[in-house]
Amino acid sequence: MKTGYIAVVGLPNAGKSTLVNALIGEKVSIVTSKPQTTRKRTLGILTQPSEYQMIFVDTPGVTDSREGLNPYLRRELDLAIDEVDVILAVVAPWEWKKKEKPWAVELVETLQEKKPVVYAATQISRVPREARVPMLDQWKQWVGEEKELNFTSALEGHGLLELKDKLKALLSEGPAFFSEDIYTPQTMRDIAAEVIREKCFEQLHQEVPYGLAVTINTFEEKPRILNISADIVIEKDSHKGMVIGKGGEKLKRIGTEARLELEKQFGHKIFLELHAVVRSGWTRKNQWLVDLGYTHA
Ligand SMILES: Nc1nc2c(ncn2[C@@H]2O[C@H](COP(=O)(O)OP(=O)(O)OP(=O)(O)O)[C@@H](O)[C@H]2O)c(=O)[nH]1
Ligand SMILES: [Mg+2]
């Protein structure tokens, strides 16, 4: 069997998580229109029995900022790169309009330990067809003739089979790491926290999502119902009202959307209780970062 770990790297919002979900055919990583949605390296497994097992490691899109969770996100990316066999470097559609090399190309070129790389231009459906030939010319100037660029559109399902073939060719022979029927090692508890955070990101704006985390307090599986109680942790008093909304409407909507999605995913009826909790400036306080799982000891 061909097996291996593949890190998906690229700018915030490039479409890394959408691509991982599309390659696997299951939702393993949350997706929103806000940058820096992914915070932890997230595994998604694609197995073709007796043929291959690809373990995708979705990574956070990082920036150079030293503020808030940025140093933690950068470390998550570095750890992911260290632990994989292959890198899938993605170029976001807006990077084609710039003069400089795409971010993921720069990243790959600066790595000390060289690893095989597959390159993909993501969200290609957003780029007009006539712009693709000039893109390939620019690509050759950036990286040379020999490195191939794959056009992909995860939501529209374009270029995925070809991408899988390219990745498969770079894997090594060996036994599978995970059993065939597992598509993510995340627990139901982890998934619940992430889906709630996704709904918060979708419903909240400005700086609120970047100082928002979700912790699960109760996760109780009864025969007829799954009881979940979670805290939506925010870093400013002034954000509490935004999370709760007029007459509690916002919190209710976040709860309903998260519950409906989790009921579908888990195939179980769910009672979901959410609380908005302020932890003043938690993104700057080590103890809170530890408690919320955002540090590397
Ligand atoms: N039309 C279209 N939209 C896409 C595609 N891929 C991603 N998007 C959209 O782009 C936005 C960002 O997608 P994500 O998958 O969350 O991007 P990401 O690279 O994981 O971002 P971070 O986790 O923040 O680093 C979302 O609104 C997606 O719906 C695509 O193939 N086609
Ligand atoms: Mg992501």
Side-chain angles (χ1 to χ4, degrees), residues 17 30 37-38 58-59:
S17 303
I30 62 168
T37 296
T38 305
D58 188 17
T59 68

Side-chain angles (χ1 to χ4, degrees), residues 25-26 63 72 96 99 107 112 118 130 137 140 147 149 169-170 204-205 218 221 236 242-243 248 253 288 297:
E26 298 282 351
T63 66
Y72 161 83
W96 296 100
K99 291 259 175 327
L107 175 81
Q112 298 218 314
V118 172
E130 61 277 12
D137 290 339
K140 280 180 198 151
K147 294 194 180 73
L149 178 68
L170 297 174
L204 299 162
H205 305 289
T218 315
E221 222 173 327
K236 288 185 186 162
M242 297 188 216
V243 172
R253 181 172 312 165
W288 277 118

Side-chain angles (χ1 to χ4, degrees), residues 186-194 216-220 266:
Q186 293 172 90
T187 63
M188 286 165 81
R189 225 182 147 100
D190 296 335
I191 292 169
E194 282 292 88
I216 304 290
N217 300 323
T218 315
F219 195 97
E220 204 180 23
F266 295 162

Side-chain angles (χ1 to χ4, degrees), residues 10-19 29-39 58-62 90 122-126 152-157:
L11 281 177
N13 253 355
K16 301 176 293 298
S17 303
T18 310
L19 185 59
S29 203
I30 62 168
V31 168
T32 80
S33 59
K34 310 257 185 329
Q36 302 206 305
T37 296
T38 305
R39 287 189 182 158
D58 188 17
T59 68
V62 302
V90 307
T122 53
Q123 306 191 34
I124 202 66
S125 60
R126 295 186 165 184
T152 63
S153 207
L155 280 186
E156 296 75 12

